[in-house]
């Protein structure tokens, strides 16, 4: 990873957002990818303090109950429960002394699989072909899939068909290796775009992220594929499969509210590989 590309810069124990963390909803709002990645980093740092290296992340839940602004972020953590096979860590993000988001990480100890047979789906999502998206751990423009196939041209995918995405995660802070858990926790916020992007752009804003993992990703390339969506009275529930180049990882669900008065119009949006948005429109 290049040191210059990151969502935050450290300021003591706090993190200060860089322009890469800015949301398309507002010029003074952090996007959920940056928020979730930073919260996951804080959870991992707290787990490290416990000295437990025998666990891996299995569940990650984030509540995005107040818009996080482009201001310094303070993270507080608590080990809620530590047992022989489980550690539960809570994380709170505050700005100017006010809570704006919270998260809960469940770390579990791997063991042998049970001997009984259990149903699993035969069809699993797969990443873009290598000639479209060569293997890379470097940050780059996400690939999107719809009825138009895989591409990095967002305008092609502003339609009503099923969506998928494939991304290489951006580091939370410069000069610090991005962990697979931070990568998938950050990418999980993309479930809202994958499930709520339609013919007029993204008209719903998610209020949470609920990620479950059977294993950690191999590297920091993460895929999402919409598997279900239900909407009534402006409240939407979206579900995506999570996968990497080695196969299925788990699922993400998001709850979202209609936000049509501030739609993010993805038509004409372009990014450079350093994460800079070259053009965008809000309606």
């Amino acid at each position: 990873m290049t040191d210059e590309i990151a969502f935050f810069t450290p300021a003591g124990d706090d993190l200060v957002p860089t322009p890469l963390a800015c949301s398309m909803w507002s010029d003074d709002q952090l996007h959920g990818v940056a928020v979730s990645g930073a919260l996951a980093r804080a959870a991992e740092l707290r787990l490290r303090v416990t000295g437990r290296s025998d666990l891996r992340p299995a569940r990650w839940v984030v509540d995005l109950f107040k818009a996080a602004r482009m201001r310094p972020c303070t993270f507080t953590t608590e080990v809620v429960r530590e047992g022989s096979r489980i550690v539960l860590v809570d994380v709170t993000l505050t700005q100017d002394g006010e809570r704006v988001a919270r998260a809960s990480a469940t770390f579990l100890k791997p063991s042998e699989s049970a001997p009984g047979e259990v149903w699993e789906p035969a069809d699993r999502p797969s990443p873009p072909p290598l000639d479209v998206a060569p293997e890379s751990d470097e940050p780059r423009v996400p690939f999107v899939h719809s009825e138009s196939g895989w591409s990095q041209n967002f305008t092609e995918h502003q339609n009503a068909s099923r969506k998928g995405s494939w991304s290489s995660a951006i580091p939370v802070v410069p000069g610090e290796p991005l962990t697979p858990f931070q990568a998938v926790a950050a990418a999980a916020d993309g479930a809202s775009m994958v499930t709520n992007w339609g013919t007029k752009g993204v008209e719903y804003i998610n209020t949470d992220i609920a990620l479950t993992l059977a294993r950690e990703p191999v590297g920091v390339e993460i895929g999402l594929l919409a598997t279900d969506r239900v909407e009534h009275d402006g409240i939407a529930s979206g579900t995506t499969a999570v996968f990497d180049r080695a196969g299925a990882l788990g699922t993400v669900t998001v709850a979202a509210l209609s936000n049509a008065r501030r739609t993010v119009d993805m038509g004409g949006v372009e990014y450079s590989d350093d994460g800079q948005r070259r053009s965008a429109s809000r309606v």
Side-chain angles (χ1 to χ4, degrees), residues 21-83:
C22 186
S23 168
M24 291 180 66
W25 293 107
S26 167
D27 291 335
D28 187 36
Q29 183 173 334
L30 293 170
H31 54 66
V33 174
V35 171
S36 185
L39 287 164
R41 174 180 177 268
E44 280 194 316
L45 289 174
R46 185 56 186 267
L47 179 68
R48 192 178 303 165
V49 171
T50 69
R52 297 293 298 271
S53 59
D54 58 333
L55 307 174
R56 68 186 187 200
R59 181 174 179 267
W60 176 245
V61 180
V62 180
D63 291 313
L64 304 167
F65 49 83
K66 185 176 176 61
R69 301 301 180 185
M70 295 289 290
R71 302 172 189 169
C73 301
T74 301
F75 300 87
T76 56
T77 59
E78 176 188 4
V79 176
V80 177
R81 161 70 174 158
E82 181 175 359

Side-chain angles (χ1 to χ4, degrees), residues 126-135 140 143 145 149-150 166 245:
S126 58
L130 288 172
D131 60 342
V132 174
E135 290 189 35
R140 62 184 173 188
F143 292 84
H145 187 271
W150 286 104
W166 182 257
R245 292 198 184 272

Side-chain angles (χ1 to χ4, degrees), residues 142-207:
F143 292 84
V144 181
H145 187 271
S146 70
E147 62 187 13
S148 300
W150 286 104
S151 79
Q152 294 170 302
N153 185 334
F154 285 39
T155 301
E156 293 179 351
H157 305 289
Q158 188 136 300
N159 53 48
S161 67
R162 184 184 189 185
K163 301 290 195 301
S165 68
W166 182 257
S167 60
S168 300
I170 292 174
V172 177
V173 297
E176 183 177 297
L178 186 71
T179 68
F181 175 51
Q182 292 170 29
V184 72
D189 182 71
S192 183
M193 184 189 75
V194 168
T195 58
N196 292 311
W197 182 7
T199 58
K200 295 186 177 181
V202 181
E203 299 180 283
Y204 291 77
I205 185 168
N206 59 309
T207 61

